[in-house]
């Protein structure tokens, strides 16, 4: 390949990862083209809350957590994943999180201390939600791309990669060849491709029902196809973020009421219902394919729409529950024995569960799982309701291309880099580990490794051209 390419870097995908890669490569002096199957930019990032996970940030210090460190973040990352994460890649994630956040701040993204929160049980809160959510991040990255003279070719699905002398040398789209010294794949996940979800994320829908994803319709796994043609290694089967759903509507409901009581089909509680959504689904799936959420009439009457309506909680509004009880989708009964019959749960275990939980409510302590007493409501006022929850919402797919800490895609045959090929974001499979950490894990992966891959791609292009552009 000579230095006479159409672009130094071509980025496939214009979500958070792709825009971060393009803006960073342009900052380094590279000529950049972004190609995307979608008609507009932003991908899943634009639809997200935009939370970004980082340690040792000025926002943390301002909020009273001045001593959080990269080392502690890294230890938490590996421990929470039971060491089923790529240590080198995870280390780069933790090291580059705060510099990437500072870069975003310099581009105009605002992170306020009141929007700092814990995703789980980490000592210090590390999830930073930006003002304006993920859309604000996309807008800032777009401005940076435009300032760097990045070119865009939207509404163009990449058909395949150009490979010359064993090196990725560009892309083909709509019959046209566009050459480059390096290509960054940032096509997002495959949540909108039912066949790939069934193949690579089989936990989704394993209890029946039709899995669905809030991701854009263009997130169909193009990056997996492109990477496979170049001999890329893949990993991360059955990983990602999977949420429980009532199936009433296609609402994204990560923050359901903690006063619900979850029981497996054998009538037993299995989790603190106030635990993070990143914990509840994996915990359930070690015991059963689905569960019931129990509540009584007093809880139903008090269930109202949340003040913060950014995330759907439409299933847990009193009138909605009553309507579905009347149409038969929510089993109901005036006694625990009747509810056991209606749901086919064993009466003995269900009755024991309800009795113990009600006793704990009276005593003001959850003796089984330690739920906040302020979130406990007894199952005492008939009629009683049981809402079936199944793992149907594919929020993040975790199967994808294997990269190294520099964002280079690695080959399946020998684990060495595919020359000229980089990847970032949800299309990668070894940044997010066996356990999704929570708010900021996916967006962090996209933006951090978008930046890493963009810089590395620009540097590689500079080596080929001798710095002449």
């Amino acid at each position: 390949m000579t230095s006479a390419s159409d672009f130094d870097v071509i980025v496939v995908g214009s979500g958070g990862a792709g825009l971060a890669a393009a803006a960073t490569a342009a900052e380094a002096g590279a000529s950049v083209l972004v190609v995307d199957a979608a008609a507009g930019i932003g991908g899943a990032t634009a639809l997200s809350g935009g939370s970004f996970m980082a340690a040792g940030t000025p926002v943390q210090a301002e909020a009273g957590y001045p001593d959080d460190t990269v080392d502690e973040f890294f230890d938490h990352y590996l421990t929470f994943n039971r060491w089923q994460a790529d240590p080198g890649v995870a280390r780069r994630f933790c090291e580059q999180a705060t510099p990437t956040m500072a870069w975003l701040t310099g581009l105009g993204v605002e992170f306020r201390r009141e929007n700092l929160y814990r995703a789980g049980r980490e000592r210090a809160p590390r999830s930073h939600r930006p003002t304006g959510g993920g859309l604000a991040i996309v807008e800032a990255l777009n401005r940076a791309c435009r300032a760097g003279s990045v070119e865009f070719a939207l509404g163009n699905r990449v058909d395949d990669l150009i490979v010359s002398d064993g090196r990725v040398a560009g892309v083909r789209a709509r019959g046209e060849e566009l050459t480059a010294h390096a290509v960054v794949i940032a096509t997002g996940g495959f949540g909108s491709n039912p066949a790939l979800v069934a193949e690579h994320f089989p936990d989704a829908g394993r209890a029946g029902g039709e899995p669905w994803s809030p991701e854009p319709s263009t997130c169909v796994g193009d990056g997996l196809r492109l990477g496979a043609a170049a001999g890329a290694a893949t990993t991360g089967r059955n990983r990602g973020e999977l949420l429980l759903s009532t199936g009433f509507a296609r609402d994204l409901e990560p923050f359901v009421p903690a006063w619900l009581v979850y029981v497996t089909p054998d009538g037993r509680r299995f989790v603190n219902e106030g635990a993070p959504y990143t914990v509840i689904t994996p915990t359930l799936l070690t015991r059963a394919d689905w569960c019931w959420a129990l509540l009584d009439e007093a809880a139903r009457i008090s269930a109202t729409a949340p003040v913060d309506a950014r995330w759907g909680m439409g299933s847990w509004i009193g009138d909605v529950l009553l309507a579905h009880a009347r149409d038969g989708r929510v089993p109901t009964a005036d006694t625990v024995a009747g509810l056991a019959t209606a749901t086919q749960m064993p009466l003995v275990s269900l009755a024991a569960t309800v009795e113990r939980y009600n006793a704990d409510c009276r005593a003001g302590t959850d003796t089984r799982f330690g739920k906040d007493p302020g979130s406990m409501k007894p199952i005492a006022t008939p009629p009683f309701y049981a809402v079936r929850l199944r793992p149907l919402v594919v929020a993040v797919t975790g199967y994808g291309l294997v990269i190294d800490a520099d964002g280079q895609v690695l080959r399946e045959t020998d684990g060495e880099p595919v020359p000229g090929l980089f990847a970032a974001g949800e299309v990668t499979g070894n940044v997010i580990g066996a356990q999704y950490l929570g708010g900021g894990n996916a967006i962090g992966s996209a933006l951090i490794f978008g930046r890493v891959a963009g810089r590395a791609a620009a540097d590689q292009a500079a080596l080929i051209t001798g710095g002449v552009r």
Side-chain angles (χ1 to χ4, degrees):
M1 181 176 177
T2 70
S3 60
S5 289
D6 297 316
F7 296 90
D8 292 320
V9 177
I10 292 177
V11 178
V12 186
S14 67
L19 293 176
T24 302
E27 284 179 359
S31 59
V32 183
L33 172 69
V34 175
V35 186
D36 199 312
I41 66 169
T45 301
L47 305 175
S48 74
S51 290
F52 187 90
M53 192 174 283
T57 70
V59 175
Q60 286 179 303
E62 185 182 354
Y65 302 93
D67 57 348
D68 195 20
T69 66
V70 168
D71 287 341
E72 189 174 349
F73 186 17
F74 176 64
D75 287 344
H76 176 74
Y77 205 108
L78 289 188
T79 301
F80 198 72
N81 277 286
R82 305 181 301 281
W83 282 77
Q84 296 178 47
D86 187 319
V89 173
R91 183 77 195 185
R92 181 61 62 89
F93 181 110
C94 296
E95 289 175 343
Q96 290 301 311
T98 296
T100 300
M101 185 173 157
W103 177 68
L104 291 170
T105 301
L107 295 179
V109 180
E110 181 184 43
F111 296 94
R112 300 172 63 90
R113 66 179 181 182
E114 56 265 34
N115 292 327
L116 175 70
Y117 65 99
R118 285 182 174 84
R121 298 292 295 178
E122 60 268 32
R123 180 188 65 81
R126 299 190 179 109
S127 295
H128 302 70
R129 183 182 295 115
T131 302
L135 183 59
I137 293 176
V138 168
E139 290 172 344
L141 292 175
N142 185 37
R143 290 193 298 269
C145 286
R146 302 297 180 181
S149 299
V150 172
E151 296 185 40
F152 287 82
L154 303 178
N156 291 280
R157 173 162 270 115
V158 170
D159 299 315
D160 52 48
L161 300 175
I162 299 170
V163 179
S164 176
D165 297 326
R167 179 182 187 82
V168 173
V171 303
R172 293 185 182 90
R174 293 191 175 186
E176 181 180 359
E177 290 193 354
L178 295 166
T179 58
H181 302 304
V183 172
V184 180
I185 298 177
T187 53
F190 53 87
S192 294
N193 187 326
L196 290 185
V197 170
E199 181 180 359
H200 300 305
F201 207 172
D203 274 350
R206 79 183 202 186
E210 183 181 352
W212 67 277
S213 174
E215 294 185 337
S217 61
T218 49
C219 289
V220 293
D222 286 345
L224 297 181
R225 172 177 53 81
L226 297 173
T234 54
T235 191
R237 187 175 188 272
N238 230 4
R239 292 184 179 181
E241 182 189 359
L242 186 57
L243 301 179
L244 300 178
S245 173
T246 63
F248 297 164
R250 292 199 165 187
D251 274 345
L252 186 63
E253 298 179 320
F255 306 109
V256 301
W259 44 257
L260 292 167
V261 179
Y262 294 162
V263 296
T264 52
D266 64 1
R268 302 177 188 276
R269 282 181 77 205
F270 62 91
V271 73
N272 175 342
E273 294 85 359
Y277 58 87
T278 54
V279 170
I280 290 177
T281 305
T283 301
L284 167 65
L285 294 180
T286 64
R287 294 161 172 79
D289 291 342
W290 55 275
C291 69
W292 294 107
L294 308 182
L295 66 152
D296 72 355
E297 178 68 359
R300 185 199 66 79
I301 291 173
S302 68
T304 58
V307 174
D308 183 350
R310 285 177 300 176
W311 306 112
M313 283 178 59
S315 295
W316 310 107
I317 298 172
D319 291 345
V320 173
L321 291 166
L322 184 60
H324 289 302
R326 288 171 174 167
D327 68 20
R329 298 186 68 178
V330 174
T332 183
D334 289 333
T335 65
V336 172
L339 196 64
T341 299
T343 58
Q344 298 185 328
M345 281 189 279
L347 174 58
V348 172
S349 60
L350 179 61
T353 295
V354 172
E355 182 178 353
R356 180 168 185 174
Y357 188 78
N358 287 347
D360 284 351
C361 287
R362 292 191 295 271
T365 182
D366 181 3
T367 57
R368 293 245 24 228
F369 296 101
K371 183 159 70 172
D372 179 359
S375 298
M376 297 176 69
K377 295 182 179 181
I379 302 171
T381 305
F384 307 128
Y385 302 87
V387 182
R388 189 179 185 185
L389 295 175
R390 293 179 290 178
L392 294 177
V393 185
V394 180
V396 176
T397 55
Y399 178 86
L401 309 179
V402 177
I403 60 171
D404 66 11
D406 293 321
Q408 298 179 105
V409 175
L410 304 183
R411 282 192 298 253
E412 177 65 39
T413 54
D414 58 7
E416 291 299 311
V418 177
L421 189 60
F422 301 81
E426 200 173 345
V427 73
T428 62
N430 62 322
V431 180
I432 295 173
Q435 175 67 56
Y436 187 76
L437 266 67
N441 200 176
I443 295 295
S445 169
L447 300 176
I448 292 165
F449 282 96
R451 198 149 155 72
V452 167
R455 180 70 208 205
D459 288 346
Q460 197 165 106
L463 286 175
I464 294 172
T465 63
V468 178
R469 297 189 171 110

